Amino acid sequence: MSIDVGGHLKAVRMMYGLSQRELAKRAGVTNGTISLIEQNRVSPSVSSLKKVLDGVPMSLADFFTLDLQETPQVFYAREELADIGDRDVSLRLVAAKRTNRAMTIMHERYRPKADTGADMLSHKGEEGGIILTGHIELTVGGQSRVLGPGDAYYFASAVPHRFRNVGEEPCEIVSASTPPTF
Amino acid sequence: MSIDVGGHLKAVRMMYGLSQRELAKRAGVTNGTISLIEQNRVSPSVSSLKKVLDGVPMSLADFFTLDLQETPQVFYAREELADIGDRDVSLRLVAAKRTNRAMTIMHERYRPKADTGADMLSHKGEEGGIILTGHIELTVGGQSRVLGPGDAYYFASAVPHRFRNVGEEPCEIVSASTPPTF
DNA sequence: GAAAATTGTCTATTATCCTAAACACTTCCC
DNA sequence: GGGAAGTGTTTAGGATAATAGACAATTTTC
């Protein structure tokens, strides 16, 4: 239910190899403060927690976003990438089975004339990618552009967007989006 | 410098069309508390801020991650990708100038024998990628594996890791990491 | 229009957090 | 062994935040 701020702080401090006193000095608080927080015997004010994190340094956003668990599978052979595409658009997904991941990384392949259609579904988050081969027309909000090999894009997923292969050859893209959409 | 917690809370409350008293009732705190917080006359404890946000409801992570601005550049020509690598490792970065982005997407190029060294710096977050050409030996924690074209990886950045081009040809990777490291 | 309800703000008291200093414990070093 | 320097923990007192309730201003209701 409630967040284990203390354990969280301790984990962060450990990650950076700092002692309570060392961190306290950098943050401009007393070591006792850090001890009490780490034991969850007090709930720090936002301002003091910020002071402490400034000593790391780490933002409040990162602190609360951070989650600490063990890493499951790390390596994925080509054959293990989940293929969730259809006939025109092939999507090969990294770490598909994994839950609680922060991103979706995909190898996308668009056949000539393939078109995602106007995506009015505005999911929140951000996505970006790099074009490997071929040409794709990307429309984001009002803007439109044809991108080729080496070109890239990055936008907030909330804005309606559309991919269309306008070339004669297949178009390949490696993309990433956060939070994961698959 | 310091985060405008009060203004932030007010914006969130407004977004949901709640009055101070209404939110206070849902959150189980007094309206005065919310008034004082919104004026930044106090810095709430994490526990009380959490109580307040539970009334919305919104997570602490979302609260601190939330930011209210417009999307800048979307398209990036090949030439616009920031190149921040050295002689052995070339890193072409998407959306480098952009601040407050959620991810870093990169086109990485490792020369033969290129080696990042044992990365003991444990930055938090997650990263993953897909190998385009060549072969790379990736070591994550205790595990090690040679990956080739089409293979992929995904792991928590906190775990010490190392990339080493063990082949005779250059190795190309498109990777993404969150939160952004550059 | 006036009463009633709803808004955000303010103040005195209570509850909580933060500090400073001491405590107990381990590790290192001669 | 015995300091000396490191670690995390604890406690009394001063600083800060949360509460309950009153206040003034606006909106609603009839």
Side-chain angles (χ1 to χ4, degrees):
Chain A
M1 196 64 233
S2 62
I3 294 181
D4 177 18
V5 173
H8 235 100
L9 177 58
K10 183 166 188 172
V12 168
R13 180 172 63 79
M14 294 307 213
M15 258 180 176
Y16 284 81
L18 301 172
S19 69
Q20 290 184 346
R21 281 183 164 79
E22 175 64 25
L23 176 54
K25 207 177 71 184
R26 297 192 189 187
V29 300
T30 60
N31 58 309
T33 300
I34 295 187
S35 176
L36 294 173
I37 293 174
E38 288 191 352
Q39 297 170 79
N40 284 322
R41 288 180 42 182
V42 301
S43 175
S45 70
V46 169
S47 61
S48 70
L49 178 58
K50 177 169 190 335
K51 274 211 308 202
V52 170
L53 291 177
D54 283 345
V56 172
M58 172 178 284
S59 74
L60 286 163
D62 286 348
F63 180 78
F64 286 107
T65 305
L66 182 63
D67 85 73
L68 326 150
Q69 26 194 4
E70 272 320 294
T71 33
Q73 189 172 4
V74 171
F75 307 107
Y76 297 84
R78 168 173 215 136
E79 302 75 32
E80 290 179 277
L81 303 191
D83 197 325
I84 55 172
D86 58 18
R87 208 178 60 84
D88 286 336
V89 183
S90 154
L91 304 174
R92 302 188 62 73
L93 198 58
V94 177
K97 289 167 295 190
R98 182 175 194 158
T99 55
N100 288 329
R101 65 210 142 92
M103 296 182 294
T104 297
I105 300 182
M106 287 191 302
H107 190 176
E108 312 182 11
R109 220 172 306 237
Y110 293 84
R111 289 199 178 186
K113 309 270 186 270
D115 187 349
T116 60
D119 185 7
M120 281 323 185
L121 265 178
S122 53
H123 39 285
K124 74 174 168 22
E126 303 177 14
E127 54 188 287
I130 297 182
I131 284 73
L132 305 180
T133 65
H135 291 79
I136 195 123
E137 179 199 72
L138 170 57
T139 307
V140 177
Q143 320 172 56
S144 194
R145 174 94 77 92
V146 175
L147 301 173
D151 294 339
Y153 61 92
Y154 197 99
F155 57 87
S157 309
V159 183
H161 49 281
R162 172 184 205 167
F163 291 87
R164 214 154 59 93
N165 185 350
V166 294
E168 296 302 323
E169 50 178 343
C171 178
E172 285 185 87
I173 300 176
V174 171
S175 74
S177 51
T178 175
T181 46
F182 292 105
Chain B
M1 190 67 225
S2 63
I3 294 181
D4 177 18
V5 173
H8 233 103
L9 176 58
K10 184 165 188 173
V12 169
R13 179 171 63 80
M14 294 307 212
M15 257 180 176
Y16 284 81
L18 301 172
S19 70
Q20 289 184 346
R21 279 182 163 80
E22 175 64 25
L23 176 54
K25 207 177 71 183
R26 297 191 189 187
V29 301
T30 60
N31 58 310
T33 299
I34 295 188
S35 175
L36 294 175
I37 293 174
E38 288 191 351
Q39 298 170 79
N40 284 322
R41 289 179 42 179
V42 300
S43 175
S45 70
V46 170
S47 61
S48 69
L49 178 58
K50 177 169 187 342
K51 274 209 311 201
V52 170
L53 291 177
D54 282 346
V56 172
M58 172 177 284
S59 74
L60 285 163
D62 286 348
F63 180 77
F64 285 108
T65 305
L66 184 62
D67 85 77
L68 328 149
Q69 38 190 357
E70 277 317 294
T71 34
Q73 189 173 3
V74 170
F75 307 107
Y76 296 85
R78 169 174 214 134
E79 302 76 30
E80 289 180 277
L81 303 192
D83 198 326
I84 54 172
D86 58 16
R87 210 178 57 84
D88 285 336
V89 183
S90 153
L91 304 175
R92 302 188 61 75
L93 197 60
V94 177
K97 289 166 297 190
R98 185 172 190 159
T99 56
N100 289 328
R101 64 209 143 92
M103 295 182 295
T104 297
I105 299 181
M106 286 191 302
H107 191 177
E108 311 181 12
R109 221 171 304 236
Y110 293 83
R111 289 200 179 184
K113 310 272 187 266
D115 187 348
T116 60
D119 185 7
M120 281 322 185
L121 264 178
S122 49
H123 43 282
K124 75 211 150 354
E126 302 177 16
E127 53 187 288
I130 297 182
I131 284 73
L132 304 180
T133 64
H135 290 80
I136 196 126
E137 179 198 70
L138 171 57
T139 307
V140 176
Q143 319 174 56
S144 194
R145 174 94 76 91
V146 175
L147 300 172
D151 294 340
Y153 62 91
Y154 196 99
F155 57 88
S157 310
V159 183
H161 49 281
R162 171 186 208 168
F163 290 87
R164 213 153 59 92
N165 184 350
V166 293
E168 296 303 321
E169 50 178 343
C171 177
E172 286 184 85
I173 300 177
V174 171
S175 74
S177 51
T178 174
T181 46
F182 292 104

